[in-house]
Amino acid sequence: NRLRALPGGLLPRAGPPAPFPLLSRLDAADNEVAELGADIAALPALKTLDVANNQLRELPAALADCPRLKEANFRGNQLRDKRLVKMVNGCQTKAILEYLRAGGRGKGKADSGRDEVRKKKREKQQKKDSGDGEQDEVEEVSKLLVKVLHISENPAPLVVKVSPGVKDVRAFIVCCVLKGVNLKPGNALKRFLTMQTKLHEDICEKRTAATIATHDLQLVKAPLTYDVRPPDELKIMPLGRKEIKAKDLLRQLQLEAEEQRKQKKRQNVSGLHRYLQLLDGKDNYPCLVDAEGAVISFPPITNSEKTKIKKETRDLFLEVTSDTSLQICKDVMDILILKIAELNRSALENKEGSGSDMESDALCGPGNLNLPLVVEQVRVLDMDGNLKVLYPSKTDLATVSSLLTVIR
């Protein structure tokens, strides 16, 4: 509609009462809105805000005062704050609002007096809760912890080599090792898999921007090679299936998709069937191959049963691939590590289903709640041994720094 501002009567100029106290979704994407004022906080029921592809240069700190705001899309705006741009492209709404609340450059034209009032309220609440300086310490202690193990400190670092052929198929890959995960309690494994599915839907944009693969590190035979193979030569044992050639797998999935459509009498299909078109027109398919020559990953379609994660899995090999950009891979990996850390903390705090499992009980003890996950750096090299990417580097994990303490 080429709107340059939100409609005049939508937001009050003179304080409460709000004219739209029940408005929960505001979709103003694909317009020419140049500014969101501090009055946006006067929508008390706002849960979803979509202002993608407008002309916003800044975001108001007042967004953090929207009490129910859970989902916000700011992509496609020319924001001045480069860090905020990375967060908008890679983080969940909660992290963005925390950044604005902390006074990032996203403040826009919010009234500084209002900021001061909010600051004093927070300080007052802190003193009320636990005295002058204790609250900061409590918050720091309760923050999720991740320790980075550098290549130089690792006696046996994992390496991934990249063949030249991937350049024209799916050029970008980022990998790391994550140790200390606890998937035993209750439904922790189920929630882990659900989290991965949600990331594929959201930040990975239905796998069009990037694809995640997670493996049981103990079942990964290093060194690994990121390669391409013709559809009739690439063999994989997909999750829950027998070994099959890639071309036959895709044909099988296509038939299943058609059967689903007939049975449900609708166009949409679920599962792997939704991603078949991502390989249309490809003469070669990308794959991650282990030291024994077995394909353990076939992005963007499936992982291998060979490295499948189970409840007993403690150490993970994480892989993110993309045909769009290296930065997208890194942003997705940042969020993936954050989400795993959150799930890990939740499982330990709730002691879900620990029963008489001595190991689970020990891990859930109060002294172990803040044990850091260990992220081991993984190098991606070309076939001549030249470094292409190292993750996590000094600049990685910055997009989730408001929720994660990284020990480097």
Side-chain angles (χ1 to χ4, degrees):
N1 296 314
R2 298 185 181 176
L3 296 176
R4 295 188 178 181
L6 297 178
L10 187 65
L11 304 173
R13 296 294 174 187
F20 293 97
L22 302 180
L23 181 65
S24 64
R25 178 179 179 86
L26 178 56
D27 188 345
D30 303 302
N31 279 286
E32 297 176 5
V33 177
E35 181 183 343
L36 278 179
D39 296 315
I40 192 76
L43 293 173
L46 186 65
K47 292 182 180 178
T48 305
L49 174 66
D50 190 349
V51 285
N53 304 319
N54 276 279
Q55 295 180 9
L56 298 173
R57 302 287 288 165
E58 294 177 325
L59 298 179
L63 279 167
D65 292 337
C66 293
R68 298 190 181 182
L69 187 59
K70 301 294 183 188
E71 295 179 34
N73 185 0
F74 304 113
R75 292 190 180 97
N77 287 286
Q78 300 300 312
L79 299 171
R80 291 193 183 98
D81 187 337
K82 298 305 179 188
R83 183 178 176 195
L84 188 57
V85 171
K86 287 183 70 175
M87 295 184 73
V88 161
N89 290 330
C91 285
Q92 291 203 338
T93 301
K94 183 179 177 182
I96 296 169
L97 297 183
E98 285 292 333
Y99 180 65
L100 296 176
R101 183 179 286 116
R105 277 185 51 202
K107 283 175 136 185
K109 296 186 178 179
D111 177 31
S112 59
R114 181 189 180 114
D115 290 346
E116 191 61 31
V117 169
R118 285 207 311 273
K119 183 179 177 183
K120 285 181 179 178
K121 277 185 179 178
R122 287 199 303 273
E123 289 175 351
K124 186 177 179 182
Q125 187 62 41
Q126 286 176 0
K127 289 179 182 178
K128 182 180 176 183
D129 288 345
S130 57
D132 292 338
E134 293 177 12
Q135 184 69 17
D136 288 341
E137 292 177 18
V138 170
E139 286 181 0
E140 193 60 36
V141 168
S142 65
K143 244 183 167 184
L144 297 159
L145 288 180
V146 166
K147 176 176 172 52
V148 175
L149 183 68
H150 295 266
I151 292 289
S152 58
E153 304 167 333
N154 192 344
L158 198 148
V159 173
V160 177
K161 287 202 168 184
V162 177
S163 75
V166 302
K167 184 179 179 182
D168 301 319
V169 178
R170 195 174 184 86
F172 307 103
I173 183 169
V174 168
C175 305
C176 71
V177 166
L178 189 63
K179 290 190 170 181
V181 176
N182 184 17
L183 299 174
K184 279 189 176 181
N187 63 350
L189 177 59
K190 182 179 178 181
R191 288 195 294 152
F192 174 87
L193 298 173
T194 300
M195 171 272 296
Q196 193 171 322
T197 300
K198 286 182 178 177
L199 289 181
H200 272 143
E201 288 293 306
D202 299 334
I203 185 175
C204 295
E205 299 175 19
K206 293 183 169 60
R207 303 198 192 191
T208 57
T211 304
I212 297 165
T214 54
H215 309 266
D216 185 328
L217 180 67
Q218 302 304 317
L219 304 175
V220 173
K221 307 299 182 186
L224 302 173
T225 304
Y226 185 46
D227 202 357
V228 292
R229 292 183 181 177
D232 58 347
E233 292 181 18
L234 195 164
K235 286 185 179 180
I236 186 170
M237 186 184 293
L239 291 169
R241 297 172 186 253
K242 295 180 180 179
E243 187 177 67
I244 189 172
K245 290 181 179 179
K247 70 171 186 178
D248 296 329
L249 173 63
L250 263 62
R251 188 184 300 118
Q252 195 177 93
L253 291 171
Q254 194 66 55
L255 291 172
E256 289 174 9
E258 291 300 326
E259 190 61 31
Q260 268 192 31
R261 287 193 187 98
K262 289 177 184 177
Q263 288 179 359
K264 298 185 178 181
K265 296 182 180 178
R266 61 185 183 189
Q267 284 299 105
N268 295 332
V269 290
S270 60
L272 301 179
H273 313 96
R274 291 178 293 169
Y275 311 117
L276 300 181
Q277 78 283 356
L278 299 178
L279 291 172
D280 286 351
K282 305 278 189 190
D283 294 327
N284 290 300
Y285 292 163
C287 56
L288 192 63
V289 185
D290 71 7
E292 297 174 343
V295 173
I296 64 170
S297 178
F298 170 28
I301 303 300
T302 184
N303 293 6
S304 169
E305 185 74 19
K306 183 178 180 181
T307 55
K308 182 179 179 179
I309 291 172
K310 302 179 180 66
K311 270 183 172 286
E312 295 73 30
T313 300
R314 295 285 314 200
D315 303 328
L316 306 176
F317 173 67
L318 307 179
E319 154 214 343
V320 179
T321 60
S322 172
D323 61 0
T324 306
S325 79
L326 180 64
Q327 189 58 51
I328 286 174
C329 290
K330 289 190 166 196
D331 290 343
V332 170
M333 188 68 86
D334 286 358
I335 298 295
L336 178 61
I337 291 172
L338 170 65
K339 288 298 170 189
I340 294 173
E342 288 176 347
L343 288 175
N344 220 44
R345 165 66 69 85
S346 176
L348 292 175
E349 282 179 340
N350 296 328
K351 300 185 183 180
E352 295 173 349
S354 57
S356 60
D357 188 327
M358 296 300 290
E359 184 182 2
S360 292
D361 287 341
L363 284 167
C364 292
N368 291 286
L369 281 179
N370 221 24
L371 282 176
L373 288 170
V374 176
V375 186
E376 292 186 4
Q377 290 181 319
V378 170
R379 289 175 297 170
V380 176
L381 312 174
D382 65 19
M383 299 308 282
D384 295 323
N386 301 309
L387 182 66
K388 291 177 70 69
V389 60
L390 172 71
Y391 183 93
S393 67
K394 289 181 180 179
T395 56
D396 294 322
L397 294 168
T399 56
V400 293
S401 60
S402 63
L403 301 169
L404 203 63
T405 296
V406 183
I407 306 167
R408 299 185 187 272

